[in-house]
Amino acid sequence: MADWSELPKDLLQLISEKLNNHFYILRFRSVCSSWRLSTPKPRNYFPLKLPHFSRRNKLYNHTIFLIKPPATPNQQTLYRPWLVRICRTSTGKFNLFHPLSRHRLNIPSDSRVLDFSQLSVFNIEQIYICGESYQNSSTIEFCHYDRSVATFHREPILEIVTSNRNSEEMLMFRRKGNGLTKIPNVSSFYRGMCIFKGRPCLTDYTGRTVMIGSNLSVHLVAEPVLGFDFHGDIYIMVENESELLLVQKYDKYEPIDVFRLDQKEKRWLKLENLGDMILFLGRGYSFAISASDLDLDNRNSVIYCSNYIRNEIRVFPLDQHRTFLLSDYPDYFKLFWPPPEWITSRCL
């Protein structure tokens, strides 16, 4: 049997460069001393203070994780996976949040220490949001914030696209550059943001979507959607790293429209069926997960938070054209809170 601790240093460095998440790098370094010495400890830039253009000038990094249950031989009970949002503080600690709402979570354990090195953890989505937080609040969350999207290339480069609501401008911030720069021909009316093919993509209230180049050039990704209702929230997200989805959510109880990008024709095609996918909409962010990865039979649904104060989560199955409370779907309900028993039993 091969001794993984004796892998060549140059090979370990190549592997570590493929890890695009702070959490994965920490797990990589914890395997053994040779792996730890081959890879420098990752920097924690967040919360990152941006050049002041409004009172909401701190950038926070949250990550959506899917935690899979351990495999058990002759298992009689079907354990469910768990979805959680994690934020690493400036002091190096980790806070747990509900993936779709504003509430911070406390594991029901005396010590409340969870060893993630002993769990199967999958990085679903990185979230970057400008705002303010209140460290003494049980709902440590942004009272007001603008949507932001960040993209990493190689250290120490960090690119961030954010909006200045006061001047209705879209801005690019480069950590090693000259501060905030206005992106020409793009206003803050662009409502949805994501990273697609390594670059920021923005969509406005008509569905018109553009990609921002490294030289701040603006490239058309999709034409506006005919008959698009500009009321409501707009979300743009990446599916399976190769497909782009657009979601328009109207009032909290009204239907939701979902579109897939025809990359060749540069237009949005309305979907009646998501197949195996389930879409999740938070406040200013979104992500997609396959139902099979969640060990679910139910699929073809959009799950979203309709009230961020009361933490009200609702479900919109595309084939039923109406919304339901999360409690109407027990399999979905169990993904969030409380954490499953196999999680709490591992608290140290």
Side-chain angles (χ1 to χ4, degrees):
M1 182 179 294
D3 187 348
W4 292 99
S5 65
E6 295 182 1
L7 287 176
K9 184 176 180 180
D10 57 347
L11 179 57
L12 291 172
Q13 289 176 339
L14 288 174
I15 296 173
S16 66
E17 290 175 2
K18 300 295 183 180
L19 303 175
N20 59 358
N21 182 273
H22 187 104
F23 185 81
Y24 286 164
I25 295 175
L26 291 177
R27 295 191 71 176
F28 181 88
R29 297 181 77 249
S30 68
V31 171
C32 62
S33 59
S34 62
W35 287 36
R36 183 166 58 253
L37 293 174
S38 70
T39 308
K41 187 176 181 179
R43 294 183 180 181
N44 181 29
Y45 296 118
F46 302 97
L48 178 66
K49 188 171 183 179
L50 299 177
H52 185 74
F53 61 90
S54 74
R55 68 192 183 95
R56 303 181 291 277
N57 65 324
K58 278 190 177 181
L59 187 74
Y60 295 85
N61 173 218
H62 290 223
T63 306
I64 305 292
F65 286 112
L66 173 62
I67 306 177
K68 289 274 197 173
T72 304
N74 302 320
Q75 182 174 299
Q76 299 297 318
T77 303
L78 180 62
Y79 290 147
R80 60 184 174 87
W82 189 41
L83 273 175
V84 67
R85 178 162 51 106
I86 297 179
C87 176
R88 188 168 185 261
T89 68
S90 57
T91 61
K93 295 182 179 180
F94 291 92
N95 289 326
L96 305 183
F97 292 84
H98 190 289
L100 297 181
S101 79
R102 66 195 296 266
H103 293 278
R104 188 168 65 177
L105 307 179
N106 290 315
I107 298 294
S109 169
D110 292 338
S111 59
R112 297 176 183 174
V113 175
L114 187 59
D115 185 1
F116 280 92
S117 67
Q118 304 301 316
L119 299 168
S120 296
V121 182
F122 300 89
N123 175 20
I124 300 298
E125 189 70 29
Q126 295 283 335
I127 300 167
Y128 304 92
I129 301 176
C130 283
E132 295 179 68
S133 67
Y134 296 93
Q135 298 294 328
N136 295 324
S137 172
S138 60
T139 60
I140 223 181
E141 185 59 26
F142 314 103
C143 62
H144 299 285
Y145 58 83
D146 300 320
R147 299 176 183 180
S148 298
V149 59
T151 175
F152 292 89
H153 295 288
R154 285 185 176 274
E155 292 287 357
I157 298 173
L158 167 61
E159 292 182 341
I160 299 160
V161 174
T162 188
S163 59
N164 183 351
R165 298 301 184 188
N166 296 330
S167 61
E168 298 182 349
E169 296 174 339
M170 294 300 298
L171 305 166
M172 171 73 82
F173 170 74
R174 290 189 173 99
R175 202 183 67 85
K176 286 295 183 179
N178 298 317
L180 287 164
T181 304
K182 180 182 176 180
I183 302 174
N185 304 316
V186 177
S187 75
S188 65
F189 289 110
Y190 280 83
R191 296 185 178 183
M193 303 185 189
C194 74
I195 296 294
F196 185 53
K197 297 182 177 180
R199 299 303 310 167
C201 280
L202 317 175
T203 187
D204 68 7
Y205 60 89
T206 71
R208 183 178 186 269
T209 306
V210 297
M211 179 180 288
I212 309 301
S214 58
N215 60 352
L216 299 186
S217 56
V218 180
H219 307 275
L220 180 68
V221 173
E223 299 283 358
V225 179
L226 294 178
F228 209 55
D229 187 341
F230 63 88
H231 296 290
D233 295 325
I234 303 295
Y235 298 84
I236 185 171
M237 69 184 78
V238 178
E239 177 193 346
N240 297 329
E241 299 183 353
S242 61
E243 299 286 347
L244 209 55
L245 299 178
L246 178 68
V247 181
Q248 183 174 41
K249 181 170 72 69
Y250 304 94
D251 184 80
K252 60 183 178 181
Y253 302 130
E254 291 183 0
I256 294 172
D257 288 332
V258 182
F259 303 82
R260 174 171 276 116
L261 175 66
D262 182 330
Q263 298 183 44
K264 184 178 180 180
E265 298 295 329
K266 296 186 177 181
R267 63 192 183 101
W268 293 107
L269 304 177
K270 189 173 180 179
L271 298 179
E272 298 298 335
N273 194 306
L274 293 170
D276 187 51
M277 298 306 299
I278 299 175
L279 308 185
F280 298 83
L281 310 181
R283 188 175 183 183
Y285 61 89
S286 55
F287 54 96
I289 310 178
S290 71
S292 54
D293 285 340
L294 295 170
D295 300 327
L296 294 175
D297 293 326
N298 286 323
R299 55 199 68 200
N300 192 35
S301 297
V302 180
I303 302 177
Y304 64 98
C305 189
S306 60
N307 188 303
Y308 294 92
I309 303 299
R310 297 199 303 267
N311 191 29
E312 181 181 278
I313 311 297
R314 301 188 72 88
V315 179
F316 179 78
L318 262 66
D319 57 352
Q320 298 193 42
H321 304 286
R322 55 170 294 200
T323 64
F324 299 85
L325 288 172
L326 184 66
S327 55
D328 294 329
Y329 286 78
D331 289 345
Y332 290 158
F333 187 87
K334 294 175 183 177
L335 289 173
F336 300 105
W337 189 257
E341 184 276 334
W342 61 266
I343 284 283
T344 56
S345 65
R346 282 166 169 76
C347 291
L348 304 176

